[in-house]
């Protein structure tokens, strides 16, 4: 700032230095600056920022476009338009919305969250600029997202090391060389500047510049421990000439000594050489014999498997059938015969038995016979432990399947210890057994959701997605499943935009991999129904449900859990328009679940009870909800679905005239769900609180009912927004209750 004042007409003016130059990144690219030159530019920028910091000014909007490089190569830092004096009283009392002015791509986490800023805020932005100069890319993708969306995602945002970011793209000689240059100190310096917590970064721009200067001078940096080997390596790099001369002198001295020792030792070595050669030859012979034996064993096993599998189909060949009544076997008969022969003919090979039992168990699960599948896979686990020990990937695969089956049976929490153990076993084999490891991560994610441990589930799904995206040869089908899991989790967190983005990508991946009519679409369509409901688009929700039902019936023409699930949900939606047709379809779903053993039917029984209660058929509704609650009781009542069933049961008990006992049931469900959601708004909480309001009104406690219904409406509004049908319905009910409340309660 050179001058300032007022013109003759009273207009204020400022006179400032004219800076001729081009933006930082553009200059570096045009001039093809070396890595060293780019680092030196950042050191110069740090000096300017430090000058401001020492005068208690934080810039708060550092980015490449605010740095111009003159034709002489000098960096000029511009635009202190949103700079803040440290300790300035005015800003301390300002609202977060007033002070969150920034460029999101270069902003520190505390700026996005509206937290207090300081010198380390500018250090973070300097780190982003250095990252971009070194790699040509930003450390995180924040494009096209609102400030609120960025704030919600900030805890899961991760930064990849600069060298790794370069290697992730298509390899070229240039990127390979640059990545090698960044490995080590520069990676460490950048990551230290970009630490999530301000107190883990460099405390000032000067400290940041000092480490960059030490890097340029080949000295140990402050951001990493000064081990003996690290300091020695730096010393050698700085004094190559002196160290080389000293080493040559030492080598000469040692060479003289070595010559004498060599002559003395030569005779001894000659004497032992023949013995060593003989021992080596013997070891080589033993190794070769061992490899030959292993090859023979493997070949014999392959022949045994081939002969075994081919013998299953002898009945298809008329010339090889035995017995007068011999005939071709049905597929089901061949399946049963194979299982019987695995048990008797392969008893000497438990590892092979385990593999086959596990595979056949998965087939039984696909056919919908969960009890038979569980029995086979449990047998596979026992055999795998006998053959390999308790911590082998084959054991983990059976544990994974058993954990998933627990969820299919409607008791996902029972699968938690199985999936936890599977992940622990597979962790060391993450590279060689990546398919099983990623499947175990996905299964454990679902369990963590059921347990209410949402943040752990989010971390698991982010890890799984990152690993699947990293693998260029990944199975597109399972990538689609992982994206579906991410969508479901975002829905749990009420992050609807992110849920829809993941679901849309999952739909594209799944359709591209297997076409639009593949059964892997079924869980994804269910998630998209929930997203449509969250958007308040009940027409689209119903259309998706009908598509899911048609797809399930096409691929599973008999009794199957996917068909039963689709029948129940589409029937519940149909009941909004045609209660009789909806009830008929839901009953069809319950009957199908019953023919399959009943596992998973509790949610559909709850749906039936809700529709019947709305129709005034209270006795039928009570029978249906009691059936659902009985199944929950056998599972320990721990899941979120069971707590919703408990609340619905309380509401129906109240309609039947037992409001005191009903209120106790609803309060117990409310307490469990409140702990599950840890005080955050949730659709499930709104449902239970609205049920509580209804029971209080029936007890004549209208002011309390108004208070509860007000909270239910607030919860719906927080989750879905004021225009959602559920929110409007809750507010209509609130208006009705308020009309009946005594004047003093309004």
């Amino acid at each position: 700032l050179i001058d300032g004042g007022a013109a003759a007409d009273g207009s204020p003016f400022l006179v400032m230095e004219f800076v001729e130059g081009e933006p930082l990144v553009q200059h570096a690219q045009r001039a093809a600056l070396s890595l060293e030159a780019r680092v030196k530019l950042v050191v110069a920028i740090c000096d300017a920022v430090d000058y401001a910091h020492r005068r208690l000014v934080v810039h708060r909007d550092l980015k490449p476009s605010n740095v111009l490089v003159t034709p002489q190569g000098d960096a000029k830092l511009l635009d202190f338009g949103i700079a803040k004096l440290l300790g300035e009283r005015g800003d301390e009392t300002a609202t977060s919305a007033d002070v969150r002015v920034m460029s999101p791509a270069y902003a520190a986490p505390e700026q996005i969250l509206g937290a207090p800023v300081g010198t380390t805020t500018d250090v973070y932005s300097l780190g982003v600029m250095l990252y971009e100069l070194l790699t040509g890319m930003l450390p995180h993708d924040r494009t096209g997202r609102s400030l609120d969306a960025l704030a919600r995602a900030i805890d899961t945002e991760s930064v990849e090391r600069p060298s790794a970011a370069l290697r992730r793209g298509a390899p070229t000689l240039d990127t390979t060389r640059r990545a090698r240059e960044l490995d080590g100190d520069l990676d460490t310096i950048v990551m230290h500047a970009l630490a999530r917590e301000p107190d883990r970064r460099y405390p000032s721009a000067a400290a940041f510049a000092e480490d960059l200067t030490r890097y340029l001078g080949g000295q140990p940096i402050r951001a990493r421990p000064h081990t003996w080997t690290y300091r020695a390596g730096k010393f050698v790099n700085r004094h190559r000439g002196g160290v080389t001369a000293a080493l040559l002198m030492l080598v000469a001295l040692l060479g003289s000594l070595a010559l004498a020792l060599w002559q003395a030792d030569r005779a001894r070595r000659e004497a032992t050489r023949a013995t060593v050669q003989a021992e080596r030859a013997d070891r080589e012979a033993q190794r070769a014999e061992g490899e030959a034996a292993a090859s023979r064993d493997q070949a014999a096993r392959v022949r045994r498997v081939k002969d075994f599998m081919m013998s299953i189909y002898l009945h298809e060949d008329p010339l090889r059938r035995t017995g007068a009544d011999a005939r071709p076997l049905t597929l089901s008969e061949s399946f049963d015969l194979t299982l019987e022969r695995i048990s008797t003919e392969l008893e000497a090979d438990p590892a092979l038995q385990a593999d086959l039992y596990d595979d056949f168990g998965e087939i039984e699960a696909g056919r919908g016979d969960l009890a038979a599948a569980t029995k086979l896979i449990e047998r596979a686990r026992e055999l795998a432990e006998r053959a390999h020990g308790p911590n082998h990937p084959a054991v983990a695969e059976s544990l994974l399947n058993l954990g998933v089956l627990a969820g299919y049976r409607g008791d996902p929490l029972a699968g938690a210890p199985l999936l936890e153990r599977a992940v622990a076993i597979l962790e060391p084999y993450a590279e060689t057994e990546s398919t099983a490891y990623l499947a175990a991560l996905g299964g454990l994610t679902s369990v963590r959701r059921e347990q209410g441990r949402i943040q752990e589930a989010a971390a698991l799904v982010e890890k799984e997605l990152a690993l699947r995206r990293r693998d260029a040869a990944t199975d597109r089908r399972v990538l689609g499943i992982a994206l579906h899991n991410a969508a479901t989790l975002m829905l749990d967190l009420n992050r609807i935009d992110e849920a829809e983005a993941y679901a849309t990508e999952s739909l594209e991946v799944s359709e591209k991999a297997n076409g639009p009519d593949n059964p892997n679409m079924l869980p994804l369509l269910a998630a998209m129904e929930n997203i449509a409901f969250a958007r308040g688009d009940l027409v689209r929700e119903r259309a998706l449900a009908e598509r899911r039902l048609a797809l399930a019936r096409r691929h599973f023409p008999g009794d199957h859990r996917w068909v039963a699930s689709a029948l129940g949900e589409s029937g519940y939606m149909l009941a909004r328009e045609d209660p009789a047709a909806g009830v008929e379809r839901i009953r069809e779903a319950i009957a199908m679940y019953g023919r399959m053993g009943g596992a998973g039917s509790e949610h559909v029984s709850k749906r039936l009870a809700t529709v019947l209660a709305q129709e005034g058929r209270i006795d039928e509704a009570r029978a249906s909800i009691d059936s659902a609650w009985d199944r929950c009781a056998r599972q320990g009542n721990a899941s979120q679905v069971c707590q919703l069933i408990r609340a619905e049961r309380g509401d129906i008990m109240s309609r039947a005239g037992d409001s005191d006992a009903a209120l106790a049931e609803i309060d117990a469900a409310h307490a469990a769900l409140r702990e599950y959601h840890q005080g955050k708004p949730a659709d499930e909480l709104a449902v239970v609180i609205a049920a509580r309001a209804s029971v209080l009104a029936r007890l004549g406690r209208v002011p309390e009912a108004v208070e509860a219904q007000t909270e239910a409406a607030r919860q719906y509004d927080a989750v879905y927004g004021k225009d959602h049908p559920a929110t409007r319905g809750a507010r209509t009910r609130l208006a009705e209750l308020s009309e009946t409340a005594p004047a003093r309660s309004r």
Side-chain angles (χ1 to χ4, degrees):
L1 179 65
I2 298 170
D3 196 4
D9 63 356
S11 302
F13 70 86
L14 295 174
V15 180
M16 301 181 71
E17 175 190 3
F18 173 70
V19 178
E20 180 183 0
E22 56 184 341
L24 177 65
V25 173
Q26 181 180 330
H27 171 77
Q29 291 172 344
R30 183 192 58 75
L33 294 184
S34 66
L35 182 142
E36 181 180 358
R38 293 173 191 237
V39 173
K40 285 181 178 178
L41 272 178
V42 175
V43 171
I45 299 165
C46 287
D47 290 342
V49 175
D50 178 55
Y51 180 89
H53 286 178
R54 284 186 279 112
R55 283 149 186 80
L56 304 183
V57 175
V58 184
H59 191 287
R60 295 198 295 170
D61 194 27
L62 292 170
K63 54 187 177 183
S65 60
N66 278 343
V67 178
L68 294 185
V69 183
T70 69
Q72 293 75 34
D74 298 323
K76 296 282 187 176
L77 178 57
L78 313 179
D79 193 0
F80 277 79
I82 62 169
K84 171 185 175 183
L85 292 176
L86 291 179
E88 186 179 18
R89 291 290 177 186
D91 277 351
E92 288 178 356
T93 58
T95 64
S96 174
D98 291 332
V99 300
R100 282 200 284 177
V101 184
M102 70 194 80
S103 299
Y106 299 90
E110 59 267 24
Q111 287 179 280
I112 292 173
L113 295 171
V117 301
T119 56
T120 54
T121 302
D122 281 349
V123 168
Y124 187 95
S125 300
L126 287 166
V128 178
M129 291 165 61
L130 178 58
Y131 194 108
E132 187 174 8
L133 272 176
L134 297 176
T135 66
M137 63 190 83
L138 291 169
H140 28 51
D141 182 11
R142 295 176 177 173
T143 55
R145 299 165 75 181
S146 67
L147 193 55
D148 288 339
L150 289 174
R152 289 193 300 270
I154 204 72
D155 285 333
T156 57
E157 188 176 71
S158 61
V159 177
E160 192 173 24
R161 299 178 78 84
S163 59
L166 282 174
R167 291 189 175 101
R168 181 163 41 81
T172 66
L173 289 175
D174 181 56
T175 57
T176 302
R177 175 185 56 79
R178 283 194 292 145
R180 194 163 53 246
E181 289 177 326
L182 297 182
D183 271 331
D185 283 351
L186 268 183
D187 267 351
T188 301
I189 291 171
V190 173
M191 299 304 287
H192 195 55
L194 295 179
R196 166 70 175 80
E197 297 80 9
D199 57 2
R200 291 178 52 228
R201 300 175 202 147
Y202 289 104
S204 65
F208 187 24
E210 181 192 2
D211 249 6
L212 289 173
T213 303
R214 295 180 72 84
Y215 163 77
L216 291 170
Q219 296 177 310
I221 63 172
R222 306 288 190 198
R224 64 184 291 178
H226 286 191
T227 62
W228 180 88
T229 53
Y230 175 63
R231 284 185 281 115
K234 287 294 180 182
F235 179 84
V236 170
N237 284 334
R238 291 198 309 275
H239 305 286
R240 290 185 181 276
V243 171
T244 301
L247 284 174
L248 288 173
M249 185 179 296
L250 180 60
V251 167
L253 290 172
L254 291 175
S256 299
L257 178 61
L259 179 61
L261 291 174
W262 175 78
Q263 289 173 335
D265 189 55
R266 184 173 181 181
R268 179 183 58 79
R269 287 189 288 108
E270 289 293 338
T272 59
R273 180 176 300 166
T275 303
V276 170
Q277 289 177 340
E279 291 174 351
R280 182 181 301 149
D282 186 51
R283 285 196 303 270
E284 287 294 324
Q286 291 176 0
R287 184 182 63 79
E289 177 58 30
E291 290 179 353
S295 297
R296 287 193 297 272
D297 289 344
Q298 185 64 23
R301 192 181 192 212
V302 169
R303 283 196 303 273
R304 189 160 61 251
V305 173
K306 173 182 173 293
D307 292 344
F308 175 77
M309 296 307 295
M310 290 302 297
S311 68
I312 300 299
Y313 299 100
L314 289 179
H315 284 261
E316 296 298 316
D317 182 355
L319 297 177
R320 302 181 71 177
R321 294 179 201 150
T322 57
D325 58 346
R327 58 176 176 78
L329 300 180
T330 66
L331 182 61
S332 179
E333 289 171 333
S334 292
F335 189 91
D336 293 339
L337 175 63
T338 303
L339 286 176
E340 181 182 337
R341 294 181 58 190
I342 289 171
S343 174
T344 56
E345 297 178 24
L346 301 180
E347 192 173 8
D349 193 343
L352 178 57
Q353 280 184 311
D355 289 345
L356 291 173
Y357 277 134
D358 204 76
D359 292 340
F360 276 73
E362 290 179 15
I363 294 170
E364 286 283 33
R367 293 165 68 185
D369 192 341
L370 302 185
T374 301
K375 182 178 179 181
L376 286 171
I377 295 172
E378 183 59 48
R379 178 63 176 150
R381 183 192 63 79
E382 294 171 359
L383 289 164
E385 287 190 345
R386 184 198 307 171
H388 306 293
N391 297 313
H392 191 273
V395 177
E397 187 167 354
S398 294
L399 291 167
L400 165 61
N401 284 334
L402 290 169
V404 171
L405 282 173
Y408 289 170
R409 293 196 306 271
D411 189 10
L413 299 185
L418 301 167
L419 290 163
E420 287 165 358
R421 186 179 163 203
V423 170
I425 292 172
L426 290 167
E427 195 89 49
Y429 302 92
E431 295 297 328
T432 57
E433 301 288 342
S434 60
T435 300
Y437 177 60
L438 290 168
L441 286 179
L444 189 56
T445 299
S446 299
V447 169
R448 291 292 183 250
R449 284 181 56 241
E450 288 292 333
Q451 293 172 321
R453 295 158 67 172
I454 302 298
Q455 295 306 320
E456 291 180 55
L460 285 168
V461 83
E462 288 290 341
K463 182 176 183 180
E464 181 189 358
L465 263 180
L467 290 171
R468 289 198 188 281
R469 291 190 194 277
R470 183 194 68 182
D471 186 359
T474 189
D475 183 339
R476 306 301 289 173
R477 180 185 65 84
V478 293
L479 174 59
I481 293 171
L483 287 164
H484 157 253
N485 290 340
T488 304
L489 189 63
M490 292 302 105
L491 202 57
D492 285 346
L493 295 169
N494 296 326
R495 287 152 62 172
I496 309 301
D497 289 344
E498 293 169 80
E500 190 162 32
Y502 279 128
T504 301
E505 185 181 358
S506 178
L507 182 68
E508 292 171 355
V509 167
S510 185
E511 287 185 334
K512 188 174 181 180
N514 301 299
D517 188 37
N518 74 85
N520 294 300
M521 300 277 288
L522 289 168
L524 176 58
L525 289 171
M528 295 180 76
E529 290 166 30
N530 292 332
I531 292 170
F533 178 80
R535 295 286 193 204
D537 191 346
L538 303 188
V539 174
R540 175 168 168 74
E541 181 196 24
R542 169 82 188 282
L544 287 165
E546 293 296 333
R547 178 184 174 186
R548 177 159 67 105
L549 176 58
L551 184 64
R553 279 177 160 160
R554 192 153 53 246
H555 287 282
F556 304 101
D559 290 343
H560 198 280
R561 59 188 179 83
W562 282 121
V563 180
S565 170
L567 278 168
E569 288 305 295
S570 63
Y572 181 67
M573 296 171 206
L574 176 61
R576 296 173 189 152
E577 305 164 11
D578 186 345
V583 165
E584 182 180 354
R585 188 177 286 187
I586 298 171
R587 288 194 188 280
E588 184 183 353
I590 293 172
M592 186 175 290
Y593 274 121
R595 292 192 295 272
M596 295 186 296
S601 65
E602 56 272 10
H603 181 62
V604 185
S605 295
K606 174 186 177 298
R607 292 298 203 201
L608 178 61
T610 301
V611 175
L612 291 171
Q614 289 169 349
E615 292 295 296
R617 298 158 65 176
I618 304 303
D619 290 342
E620 294 175 79
R622 180 67 186 269
S624 184
I625 202 69
D626 282 349
S627 171
W629 183 239
D630 288 344
R631 290 203 64 83
C632 281
R634 290 196 291 274
Q635 298 166 10
N637 306 332
S639 72
Q640 186 175 205
V641 170
C642 284
Q643 294 308 319
L644 288 170
I645 289 171
R646 188 175 199 173
E648 178 85 5
R649 182 169 178 264
D651 187 38
I652 293 171
M653 289 167 61
S654 173
R655 295 185 192 211
D658 193 2
S659 293
D660 289 322
L663 188 60
E665 288 294 286
I666 291 174
D667 284 345
H670 185 209
L673 286 171
R674 200 167 54 234
E675 180 179 355
Y676 182 96
H677 290 287
Q678 300 178 347
K680 296 176 183 175
D683 168 270
E684 293 81 8
L685 282 171
V687 170
V688 174
I689 296 168
R692 188 173 191 274
S694 296
V695 174
L696 287 168
R698 294 188 192 102
L699 287 168
R701 295 158 61 176
V702 179
E704 293 175 74
V706 169
E707 182 180 351
Q709 188 64 28
T710 301
E711 173 60 15
R714 188 193 71 79
Q715 293 268 347
Y716 276 127
D717 194 356
V719 175
Y720 296 132
K722 66 181 186 317
D723 295 325
H724 193 279
T727 309
R728 294 201 303 269
R731 294 203 178 280
T732 299
R733 176 59 179 150
L734 175 60
E736 294 170 352
L737 284 172
S738 298
E739 287 299 319
T740 65
R744 65 177 179 276
S745 71
R746 298 183 187 177

